[in-house]
């Protein structure tokens, strides 16, 4: 399994307090609880992310698989196009 660490912006006071409580209740660190929340959110939104990927790939004349690979290897052209939720 690939381990990538990244920094996120600070949470607002309310969310940070609740993350601290949630982590304590689950007997884990805030970092571990945050990673769990992010993983859950990705799984929950995966169909929407896949639709956006398909849309952007089609717009660029490529397959979603090819765009996925180029995003991961850092070669994707992101010319400022922002996918909208109104497809």
């Amino acid at each position: 399994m690939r381990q990538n660490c990244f920094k996120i912006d600070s949470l607002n006071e309310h969310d940070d307090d609740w993350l601290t409580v949630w982590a304590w209740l689950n007997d884990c660190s805030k970092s571990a609880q945050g990673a769990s929340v992010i993983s859950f959110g990705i799984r929950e939104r995966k169909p929407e992310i896949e639709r956006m990927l398909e849309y952007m790939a089609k717009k660029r004349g490529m397959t979603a698989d090819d765009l996925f690979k180029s995003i991961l290897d850092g070669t994707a052209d992101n010319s400022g196009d922002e996918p909208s939720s109104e497809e």
Side-chain angles (χ1 to χ4, degrees):
M1 186 165 115
R2 184 170 62 176
Q3 294 290 324
N4 291 325
C5 293
F6 60 94
K7 185 172 172 62
I8 61 170
D9 289 334
S10 297
L11 298 174
N12 64 45
E13 185 177 0
H14 173 270
D15 292 347
D16 187 60
D17 289 349
W18 282 100
L19 181 63
T20 300
V21 170
W22 196 5
W24 184 88
L25 290 169
N26 285 319
D27 193 28
C28 65
S29 68
K30 284 174 37 176
S31 179
Q33 189 65 46
S36 176
V37 170
I38 291 170
S39 291
F40 178 78
I42 290 169
R43 283 188 211 97
E44 185 176 58
R45 291 180 175 88
K46 189 174 177 185
E48 179 184 346
I49 296 166
E50 288 174 328
R51 283 191 300 274
M52 291 168 61
L53 180 68
E54 185 67 42
Y55 172 81
M56 296 305 286
K58 190 175 194 180
K59 206 172 166 183
R60 286 166 171 73
M62 59 194 316
T63 68
D65 284 341
D66 287 340
L67 181 55
F68 185 89
K69 289 174 191 168
S70 68
I71 291 169
L72 292 182
D73 69 20
T75 62
D77 174 27
N78 187 3
S79 57
D81 290 344
E82 294 280 329
S84 78
S85 58
E86 301 173 23
E87 291 180 20

